[in-house]
Amino acid sequence: MSASSVRSGSAFPVDRGRRRAAPDGPRVPMPRPALARTALLVAGVGLGVTSALTFTAETAGQFAAPGGPVTFAGNLTGMIGTYLALMMVLLVSRIPAIERVLGQDGLLRWHRRLAPWPISLLVAHAVFITVGYAQAARAGLWHEAGILLTRFPDVLIATIGLGIMCLIGVISIRAIRSRLSRETWWMVHLYMYLALALSFMHVIVLGPSFVGHPLTRLVWSLAWAGTAGLVLVYRFGLPVVRSLRHRLVVVEVRPEGPGVVSVICSGRDLDKLPVAGGQFMMWRFLSRGRWWQAHPFSLSALPRPPYVRLTVKAVGGYSASLSGLRPGTPVMVEGPYGAFTRHAQVWPRAVLVAAGIGVTALRSLLEDLPRKSSPIVLLRASRREDLVLGEEVADLVRNRRGQLHVLVGRREQASIDERALRQLVPDLHRRDVFVCGPEGFVASIVDLVKSLGVADEAIHHEAFAL
């Protein structure tokens, strides 16, 4: 096998096989599915309460008045749409207890599935309210819209917020999103927080379910404050505290293969960093042109105090620029994140499959597996020089009494298909399957193992958007 070796004089003391003993590392919090199910139940109850409050705030006289039914429809769609918008934000606020169960991929999938609903409902709310008020005033639709926008400043501000949400929704269409850089995508999505903030005053001041209903106003104020608090704590506060505690700085940038470098950082108290093999972190390198963006990169090895390592492939302008990082560059981190860990295992043994730079998450996950766990590891690459970290993976597999299979060449020559998988992993049905690599590769392997009867709960994957 042709693979990059670890230089004996390198700064990072890579463990070539020994699993980190429990006393030497931090206590990694275990996923608690029951807690995630409880959170889902609470969210469902909250949706029910939201709907019930809207119904109880409506009187028979209001409903029977001109425009009453349409106005009520506007109130209901507005309340439910706002509630779902808050849920959408919470899904990506990186609450650790939820993230450890679903992982970032799972949370983003739910976020994308939910996203069209609040936007659609809030647009319907604006239309219904305008029509209902026009019917009540016996005025034209456009005339009533002009009155709402010019005589009620809170409505104008809320309309701007809704416009921002709609813009984000349009940009989220896959055909458009794929053409944007990650930095642009991130900046645009920050405006969702602004949009929700702009709509807050209009709902509290003008919403029929709030006017004259102090309890409803209190409950929703707490919901908004709670959502904002969780976002501030987990998206901003915790990363700042963790970065100040560990004080990471770059000490070495090491070539590993064509277009691939390892960035080795040193820091304080890294033995207290609660990271499991297979997880990733958001890395913000505080140097010119990089300080304002954070990017997700997997740890390519478990921390070895005072060092931690990530390995990056140059697939864009930002990742390519990391080869020019200078020693001494300060680093801020968020995380660790991800449910692609041994804690997700259903069976005692596993098969680990990786292609390309997906080997980084696989390598740290492999290091975290127990001795004598007998893993089967499949590495896929188009060229032998693309098998980065290959020697480290081989040492770890050997030390865990596993098997390593390297498939090199064009897809038609060295593909992982049904025949190959049955031959290389004869006990596939009694193993967890961990897959990591480019999105297309991951999707194909997941579909394949599902077709071979592997249960969904035994399939774990981490897709790298290249």
Side-chain angles (χ1 to χ4, degrees):
M1 175 184 344
S2 174
S4 300
S5 61
V6 179
R7 298 200 299 266
S8 58
S10 66
F12 188 79
V14 175
D15 182 342
R16 287 179 165 274
R18 291 182 297 111
R19 180 173 175 265
R20 176 176 55 182
D24 296 334
R27 182 177 179 271
V28 178
M30 295 287 289
R32 298 184 181 277
L35 192 57
R37 287 193 291 269
T38 301
L40 180 62
L41 177 61
V42 170
V45 170
L47 181 59
V49 171
T50 297
S51 303
L53 288 172
T54 307
F55 279 97
T56 57
E58 187 77 10
T59 66
Q62 290 172 329
F63 193 81
V70 181
T71 301
F72 173 73
N75 295 335
L76 185 61
T77 52
M79 293 283 276
I80 296 177
T82 301
Y83 182 83
L84 293 180
L86 294 180
M87 293 298 102
M88 188 175 66
V89 170
L90 284 177
L91 280 172
V92 290
S93 62
R94 297 172 185 164
I95 301 172
I98 308 301
E99 198 278 337
R100 279 193 290 269
V101 176
L102 296 179
Q104 284 295 300
D105 281 356
L107 289 173
L108 288 175
R109 280 196 300 273
W110 280 103
H111 176 82
R112 290 166 185 157
R113 290 171 184 169
L114 181 63
W117 290 99
I119 296 175
S120 301
L121 287 168
L122 291 173
V123 169
H125 158 75
V127 173
F128 284 141
I129 288 293
T130 305
V131 171
Y133 281 23
Q135 290 178 354
R138 291 181 171 82
L141 185 62
W142 293 112
H143 174 75
E144 188 63 31
I147 290 176
L148 288 172
L149 291 173
T150 56
R151 297 187 183 179
F152 299 89
D154 295 320
V155 172
L156 176 59
I157 293 173
T159 303
I160 294 173
L162 179 58
I164 294 173
M165 289 187 191
C166 292
L167 176 62
I168 294 173
V170 171
I171 292 175
S172 299
I173 297 172
R174 188 175 184 87
I176 299 176
R177 186 178 74 235
S178 61
R179 298 175 181 271
L180 299 177
S181 67
R182 187 182 183 280
E183 294 79 15
T184 302
W185 173 252
W186 177 75
M187 286 294 293
V188 167
H189 266 65
L190 285 181
Y191 284 98
M192 180 60 77
Y193 300 125
L194 174 62
L196 287 173
L198 290 176
S199 67
F200 176 71
M201 189 56 67
H202 135 266
V203 173
I204 294 295
V205 173
L206 300 176
S209 298
F210 296 91
V211 177
H213 298 276
L215 178 60
T216 302
R217 182 177 295 186
L218 174 63
V219 169
W220 272 91
S221 297
L222 291 175
W224 245 291
T227 300
L230 288 170
V231 169
L232 289 173
V233 168
Y234 292 118
R235 291 298 300 267
F236 302 101
L238 184 58
V240 169
V241 170
R242 187 157 282 167
S243 297
L244 290 175
R245 178 183 189 183
H246 297 299
R247 302 200 180 203
L248 290 172
V249 295
V250 175
V251 295
E252 182 184 352
V253 178
R254 179 192 309 159
E256 298 284 4
V260 180
V261 297
S262 284
V263 179
I264 300 167
C265 303
S266 67
R268 306 187 311 176
D269 300 325
L270 292 185
D271 56 322
K272 296 180 175 62
L273 185 64
V275 60
Q279 291 189 305
F280 68 93
M281 301 180 77
M282 304 292 292
W283 301 82
R284 186 187 304 272
F285 298 96
L286 304 183
S287 59
R288 184 177 181 180
R290 303 185 186 94
W291 64 269
W292 61 277
Q293 20 181 336
H295 285 249
F297 297 114
S298 294
L299 296 171
S300 56
L302 293 175
R304 296 287 160 184
Y307 302 109
V308 65
R309 184 184 74 179
L310 60 148
T311 302
V312 181
K313 182 176 182 178
V315 293
Y318 183 87
S319 54
S321 75
L322 297 187
S323 62
L325 281 172
R326 295 182 178 180
T329 301
V331 185
M332 291 189 68
V333 292
E334 301 175 37
Y337 300 125
F340 190 76
T341 72
R342 64 184 180 89
H343 301 300
Q345 278 189 248
V346 176
W347 297 95
R349 296 184 177 182
V351 52
L352 282 59
V353 187
I357 199 61
V359 72
T360 56
L362 179 144
R363 189 257 178 246
S364 62
L365 171 61
L366 184 60
E367 184 180 358
D368 213 16
L369 294 181
R371 291 177 63 90
K372 302 181 182 179
S373 55
S374 302
I376 296 178
V377 176
L378 310 180
L379 296 183
R380 170 76 179 88
S382 299
R383 306 173 301 172
R384 287 198 171 273
E385 53 266 35
D386 293 329
L387 292 168
V388 297
L389 308 180
E391 288 189 7
E392 294 181 23
V393 170
D395 286 341
L396 289 164
V397 171
R398 184 165 49 251
N399 202 266
R400 282 148 184 77
R401 300 186 181 181
Q403 302 173 39
L404 173 61
H405 303 284
V406 178
L407 298 92
V408 178
R410 296 195 301 270
R411 291 183 180 180
E412 57 271 20
Q413 295 174 324
S415 64
I416 302 178
D417 53 20
E418 179 178 347
R419 179 180 177 183
L421 204 55
R422 289 186 183 277
Q423 180 180 356
L424 299 175
V425 193
D427 59 344
L428 180 65
H429 296 87
R430 297 189 299 276
R431 289 179 180 267
D432 282 75
V433 179
F434 289 86
V435 191
C436 193
E439 289 179 303
F441 172 81
V442 169
S444 66
I445 297 299
V446 168
D447 290 342
L448 174 60
V449 297
K450 283 184 177 181
S451 70
L452 294 176
V454 178
D456 288 346
E457 60 267 21
I459 303 173
H460 321 282
H461 50 90
E462 191 81 28
F464 290 5
L466 302 180

